[in-house]
């Protein structure tokens, strides 16, 4: 009789254990089954192997003036999202610091690559302002990608949200002409070839 009781107790315990085992993987799947947002950025997170604009990442991350959120972006600890901190981070692309600006530009470019939904509203204005302030540098950066995809991504981003800070955002003709004027003003010693590229870029960004 005692053996029968023990047998039934053992069966009950095994039954409970089986139910627990079936439940836990489902919880784990829901909680942990997510992709790394940096998967497509081709990073090793080795500051000597990864490079930005022909310099190892070590050059940037050991600079004491590097923005802390920019470092978190590289490490994967901060993903741009719909919040003021993202706007502040992306606007660093127009920083006067020549040493760090390529790193901030790399962050903006990769944010353009991963953007969707609300995040796409954050990239256009800093991308436009960078092109306006550093036109020659902008075209050098675009020319580095022979496929033309980077140029396509940037002008589409500007076209989508690059006029949000204008009161007359519906008047794209005026915005286009202002973009041309500003870029030409900041393009030191630019010849007719640069002027043609600037006008083409303005048309691509604001063609309506």
């Amino acid at each position: 009789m005692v053996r029968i009781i023990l047998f039934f107790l053992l069966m009950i315990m095994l039954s409970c254990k089986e139910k627990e085992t079936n439940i836990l993987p489902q919880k784990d799947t829901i909680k942990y089954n997510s992709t790394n947002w940096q998967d497509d950025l081709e990073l090793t997170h080795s500051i000597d192997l990864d490079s930005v604009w022909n310099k190892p990442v070590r050059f940037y991350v050991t600079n004491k003036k590097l923005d802390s959120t920019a470092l978190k972006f590289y490490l994967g600890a901060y993903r741009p999202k719909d919040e003021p901190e993202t706007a502040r981070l992306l606007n660093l692309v127009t920083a006067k610091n020549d040493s760090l600006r390529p790193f901030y530009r790399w962050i903006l470019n990769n944010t353009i690559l991963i953007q969707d939904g609300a995040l796409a509203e954050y990239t256009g204005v800093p991308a436009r302002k960078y092109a306006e302030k550093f036109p020659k540098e902008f075209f050098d950066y675009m020319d580095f990608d022979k496929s033309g995809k980077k140029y396509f991504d940037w002008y589409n981003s500007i076209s989508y949200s690059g006029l949000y800070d204008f009161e007359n955002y519906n008047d794209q003709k005026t915005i286009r002409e202002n973009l041309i004027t500003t870029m030409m003003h900041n393009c030191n010693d630019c010849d007719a070839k640069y002027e043609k590229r600037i006008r083409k870029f303005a048309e691509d960004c604001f063609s309506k």
Side-chain angles (χ1 to χ4, degrees), residues 5 39 44 62 86 95 109 143 181 203:
I5 294 174
D39 280 349
T44 68
T62 57
T86 287
N109 182 68
D143 291 344
T181 300
E203 286 285 345

Side-chain angles (χ1 to χ4, degrees), residues 98-130:
D98 293 343
S99 297
L100 292 176
R101 193 165 60 249
F103 193 73
Y104 298 140
R105 181 181 61 196
W106 173 81
I107 290 175
L108 173 58
N109 182 68
N110 283 313
T111 303
I112 290 174
L113 293 181
I114 66 170
Q115 70 185 7
D116 56 6
L119 184 56
E121 298 179 2
Y122 284 77
T123 59
V125 171
R128 191 202 79 227
K129 288 184 175 180
Y130 173 72

Side-chain angles (χ1 to χ4, degrees), residues 5-151:
I5 294 174
L6 289 174
F7 175 77
F8 279 111
L9 286 174
L10 181 60
M11 292 297 292
I12 293 171
M13 290 175 65
L14 288 174
S15 176
C16 291
K17 185 68 175 177
E18 184 178 357
K19 290 180 181 178
E20 182 181 353
T21 304
N22 288 338
I23 292 172
L24 286 177
Q26 293 175 5
K27 289 184 178 179
D28 288 347
T29 299
I30 294 171
K31 186 174 182 180
Y32 301 112
N33 188 19
S34 61
T35 57
N36 187 325
W37 66 272
Q38 288 188 324
D39 280 349
D40 295 329
L41 303 189
E42 299 181 354
L43 293 174
T44 68
H45 292 113
S46 166
I47 62 175
D48 293 309
L49 293 178
D50 293 332
S51 64
V52 172
W53 202 238
N54 297 319
K55 286 185 172 62
V57 167
R58 177 182 293 278
F59 175 81
Y60 304 102
V61 300
T62 57
N63 189 319
K64 294 181 179 180
K65 294 183 179 180
L66 179 69
D67 182 80
S68 60
T69 304
L71 176 58
K72 290 178 182 178
F73 179 99
Y74 169 70
L75 296 174
Y78 180 78
R79 187 193 194 285
K81 51 189 173 182
D82 185 6
E83 65 176 10
E85 181 63 10
T86 287
R88 188 195 67 81
L89 174 64
L90 299 184
N91 279 318
L92 292 174
V93 73
T94 55
K96 293 181 180 179
N97 190 318
D98 293 343
S99 297
L100 292 176
R101 193 165 60 249
F103 193 73
Y104 298 140
R105 181 181 61 196
W106 173 81
I107 290 175
L108 173 58
N109 182 68
N110 283 313
T111 303
I112 290 174
L113 293 181
I114 66 170
Q115 70 185 7
D116 56 6
L119 184 56
E121 298 179 2
Y122 284 77
T123 59
V125 171
R128 191 202 79 227
K129 288 184 175 180
Y130 173 72
E132 286 178 332
K133 191 172 182 179
F134 306 105
K136 280 188 173 180
E137 189 176 293
F138 167 74
F139 285 121
D140 285 344
Y141 183 57
M142 294 297 110
D143 291 344
F144 191 75
D145 173 28
K146 302 304 181 184
S147 72
K149 183 180 183 303
K150 190 185 301 293
Y151 179 77

Side-chain angles (χ1 to χ4, degrees), residues 159 170-173 176 203 205-208:
S159 178
N170 286 320
D171 185 3
Q172 292 203 24
K173 181 180 179 180
R176 183 169 63 245
E203 286 285 345
C205 292
F206 308 114
S207 58
K208 292 183 180 180

